[in-house]
Amino acid sequence: MVSSPHEAMHRIFQEYPGLFSRVSEVLGIDIPQPTSATVLPTDLTENSPVERRVDTLLRIETQDDGPFLLAVEAQGKKDPRKTTSWPYYVSYLHNRYGALPVLLLVVCQDHATAEWAARPITIGLRQWPTLTLNPLVAGPHNMPVITNVAEARKDLALATLAAITHADNPDVGAILKTLSSALREAPDNIAEPIVELTAQGLGNRPAAQQWRNLVAVDTSFYKSFISEEIRDEGRAEGQAKGQAKGQVESLLLILEARGIALTDETREEIDTCTDLNLLREWLQRAATATTAEEVFTKQ
């Protein structure tokens, strides 16, 4: 079952560890070019009853500047508890991994949360801060709106993250159409996780159904879980529509045979009805009715 957008916003960095180098460019941060990245355990719990876990943790190697740690947090809403947990994550990781530099990236899907997450977190006195944490934030305020297929095809991982962060954008339909078109020529092993991550990232927003419709058409040859699920839904929907059409035709034949006249409004109501239970109810009434009112008046 497809899980929450929270998972997709950080899991994409596990699937595509090199994605951060392109995200840092978008954010205007001069980060050394990575040469490799390793997914690390996310458990930050010490010998205490408090369990702490960062969403995603990567060790990123660079050619000239050495390694650093990237902690990725997906944030769906403002959470005052993060003002204590995020500094803990950074200081704990700095200590655990031999004083490696630590970056915290927060991924958001709305402007208000992104603005809140970007505020520096200061520990200490107002006159003399002991520790200040400055999170990097990726969200709808700074991620690109990609509606060019060639641009999306150049970096499918970035295009996927951008689509997820713009899930509430009024133009999300064009963004998703661009991504689905860019996937048409992608190999299955590249396209399938992107189809899944995008569906996951959109959650239960209206855009999720748009994505499902696009996948059903543009990526109909993929065998991923979500693609198969969408095709199954499409087959079931098509079968239901076929049954409804048959019921409508039968109802009209019975009404004609019994000499029951229909107004234009009633005929349109019959033709557009897809409720099988209601159509069966009308059929049962039509078998003994002498007027249209007896068939269509609620009883």
Side-chain angles (χ1 to χ4, degrees), residues 34-283:
T35 56
S36 66
T38 305
V39 179
L40 299 175
T42 60
D43 191 348
L44 309 184
T45 306
E46 294 188 282
N47 294 327
S48 68
V50 180
E51 181 178 326
R52 303 177 190 268
R53 291 182 184 272
V54 67
D55 288 335
T56 287
L57 180 61
L58 302 173
R59 176 188 171 111
I60 296 181
E61 305 286 342
T62 66
Q63 185 170 356
D64 299 319
D65 289 29
F68 67 91
L69 299 177
L70 174 65
V72 184
E73 284 279 282
Q75 198 63 36
K77 61 183 180 180
K78 299 176 184 179
D79 185 352
R81 293 172 298 178
K82 297 299 183 180
T83 58
T84 56
S85 60
W86 285 346
Y88 170 85
Y89 294 168
V90 171
S91 59
Y92 175 84
L93 291 170
H94 182 71
N95 179 65
R96 177 177 176 180
Y97 289 95
L100 282 181
V102 182
L103 286 178
L104 173 64
L105 173 66
V106 183
V107 185
C108 307
Q109 288 180 294
D110 68 273
H111 291 269
T113 303
E115 182 180 359
W116 164 82
R119 296 172 183 170
I121 300 172
T122 301
I123 297 175
L125 299 177
R126 176 177 57 82
Q127 298 88 340
W128 191 267
T130 303
L131 174 68
T132 300
L133 174 65
N134 291 292
L136 289 174
V137 177
H141 65 299
N142 57 11
M143 293 301 292
V145 175
I146 300 177
T147 55
N148 180 279
V149 175
E151 183 182 354
R153 194 174 287 138
K154 287 179 182 177
D155 196 333
L156 289 170
L158 180 62
T160 303
L161 180 64
I164 291 171
T165 56
H166 287 290
D168 293 320
N169 190 306
D171 295 325
V172 69
I175 296 170
L176 296 176
K177 178 61 178 175
T178 299
L179 180 58
S180 66
S181 298
L183 290 175
R184 288 176 184 170
E185 299 178 6
D188 286 6
N189 64 329
I190 294 176
E192 288 178 9
I194 287 178
V195 169
E196 303 286 352
L197 280 165
T198 305
Q200 189 178 46
L202 297 174
N204 58 4
R205 292 173 170 82
Q209 187 57 51
Q210 292 179 269
W211 179 244
R212 298 174 80 84
N213 295 339
L214 288 166
V215 170
V217 175
D218 287 346
T219 61
S220 59
F221 45 88
Y222 295 141
K223 302 299 181 185
S224 67
F225 169 81
I226 190 69
S227 300
E228 289 297 325
E229 182 182 282
I230 290 167
R231 284 195 285 279
D232 287 344
E233 289 177 358
R235 284 190 286 267
E237 183 180 354
Q239 188 178 36
K241 286 182 178 179
Q243 291 176 355
K245 184 178 180 181
Q247 296 276 43
V248 167
E249 291 175 352
S250 298
L251 177 59
L252 291 173
L253 284 172
I254 291 175
L255 292 171
E256 183 180 357
R258 297 188 62 79
I260 297 176
L262 300 174
T263 64
D264 291 341
E265 291 80 4
T266 301
R267 183 175 292 276
E268 182 180 359
E269 183 180 5
I270 296 171
D271 287 337
T272 58
C273 182
T274 58
D275 186 333
L276 291 175
N277 291 330
L278 181 57
L279 286 167
R280 291 191 189 99
E281 185 178 334
W282 286 346
L283 276 168

